[in-house]
Amino acid sequence: MKTVSVALLPLLAAAIMSCTAKTETETEAVATPEPSESAAPSAEAAPDENYVPAEQVADIPIERVGFEDGNNATTIEGSITGYATIDYVFRASEGDPLNISMATQHTATYFNLIEPGETDVAVFNGSMGENMFEGTAAKSGDYRVRVYMMRSAARREETADYRLEIIVG
């Protein structure tokens, strides 16, 4: 661990304060962003009063996953290149069984499962769970399956084809 000279502590403290301090006018000038159309809840009826819709996260594209009538499973075939990431969003109700798996020959491509109301915190990380998740929906709302490539492969602009299977219920 590196140490800081005691003589530099006042300078360091002043630098930190100047970076974090805001005057009243600067604070007032900060505007609350308008909600975007993509963040609006879907027109479909919510499964219950605790339903949480997915919101747009930064520049990650969202693809809503639908299930054909009478079917509780869907398969998506796609590919990503480099730092590209995509969120596949599907609706589930609290207590629904979930089974999500991804097959790819690219050894640095994974998915994370993100619960309703979260934008980045995953309840499952495919890089630690062999790209297979079996569990139960803890909340009602829009779940995200975020497909991504590890940085080592992304910076080389590698391309990964994948097949994602989502089963709800």
Side-chain angles (χ1 to χ4, degrees):
M1 182 178 219
K2 294 186 179 188
T3 59
V4 177
S5 168
V6 175
L8 293 178
L9 286 177
L11 292 174
L12 182 60
I16 291 171
M17 292 300 287
S18 69
C19 290
T20 59
K22 289 187 180 216
T23 65
E24 281 184 37
T25 55
E26 286 175 317
T27 304
E28 291 171 7
V30 175
T32 304
E34 294 291 322
S36 67
E37 287 182 27
S38 63
S42 91
E44 297 177 35
D48 63 34
E49 69 275 358
N50 296 321
Y51 174 75
V52 180
E55 296 179 20
Q56 184 68 42
V57 177
D59 59 349
I60 298 174
I62 292 176
E63 186 174 314
R64 178 146 310 262
V65 174
F67 301 101
E68 294 180 21
D69 290 336
N71 197 350
N72 64 342
T74 189
T75 301
I76 302 156
E77 292 186 3
S79 68
I80 57 172
T81 299
Y83 288 99
T85 300
I86 186 166
D87 280 356
Y88 293 100
V89 176
F90 66 92
R91 184 173 287 189
S93 295
E94 182 178 338
D96 282 347
L98 301 177
N99 187 320
I100 303 160
S101 61
M102 187 171 73
T104 180
Q105 293 199 0
H106 194 274
T107 59
T109 302
Y110 301 100
F111 76 87
N112 288 347
L113 178 62
I114 302 170
E115 286 185 328
E118 295 291 335
T119 55
D120 294 312
V121 178
V123 294
F124 172 80
N125 181 327
S127 67
M128 303 236 185
E130 299 180 16
N131 275 337
M132 292 182 65
F133 173 82
E134 286 187 38
T136 304
K139 302 176 183 178
S140 293
D142 285 343
Y143 281 76
R144 296 173 189 273
V145 176
R146 179 165 295 161
V147 177
Y148 67 97
M149 192 178 300
M150 296 295 266
R151 184 174 51 185
S152 59
R155 71 173 173 247
R156 292 188 297 267
E157 287 296 307
E158 293 180 13
T159 297
D161 296 324
Y162 58 87
R163 181 182 166 125
L164 181 66
E165 184 178 49
I166 301 172
I167 303 171
V168 178

